[in-house]
Amino acid sequence: MNDKVRQYRGLSCAAWGYFFLNFHFRIGSVNLLPGFVGFLFLLGAIGALLPECRNLLLLRPLCIFFAAMYAVDWVLAVGGQQIGGHILFFDLLVTAAELYFHFQFLTDIAALAKSCLPDGAKLAKRLFRCRTLYTLLSTAVAMAASVPAVVWPDHETGYSENQGNILLMLAVAGAGGGAGVSVAIMVTLFQVRKRFRDGDTVEREHCGT
């Protein structure tokens, strides 16, 4: 496989990974666009882009973990169960690790575009912005899911009107904004992919480092 084909496949995997991770089509409790497929795509992207960006190697163990965890969760969903929601500390730890993964992954891809493409600074800047927004919105969704158990220990008995409104605003803003940012990430990744496919790159030993 030549470099152009490998880079093209890697960036394609990255874009489709974010599609599976952020868009859902459910029948009952089963998601027909499972998250573990998204992480498998991202794992493929990491493997394909390693020659240009060695920093991605640090994310491989986390990607494998999330692919396995999401796969187990998808199987459990068939029986109406889930991994999360049982141990608060574990949920918070997983959320923090996933936020870190996406922040660093998009940082590495942006650095790759900036250093390998003659005018990649513009695309990199857009990815950096998307990365920051994606992290903030994902944090908002995580807060809406996790904060009640920490701040309001009696949340299972019901929320006050103000508490419910705060959680609703966080969830709606995070989910709606996250979908928009996810589309922007995919579009930008496809644009970077096109530039690599056309061969308009700077010859460097390790572009993203």
Side-chain angles (χ1 to χ4, degrees), residues 10-26:
L11 291 163
S12 295
C13 284
W16 287 112
Y18 278 94
F19 173 78
F20 274 87
L21 287 174
N22 293 284
F23 296 93
H24 309 288
F25 181 73
R26 296 182 181 276

Side-chain angles (χ1 to χ4, degrees), residues 169-180:
M169 285 189 294
L170 283 173
V172 171

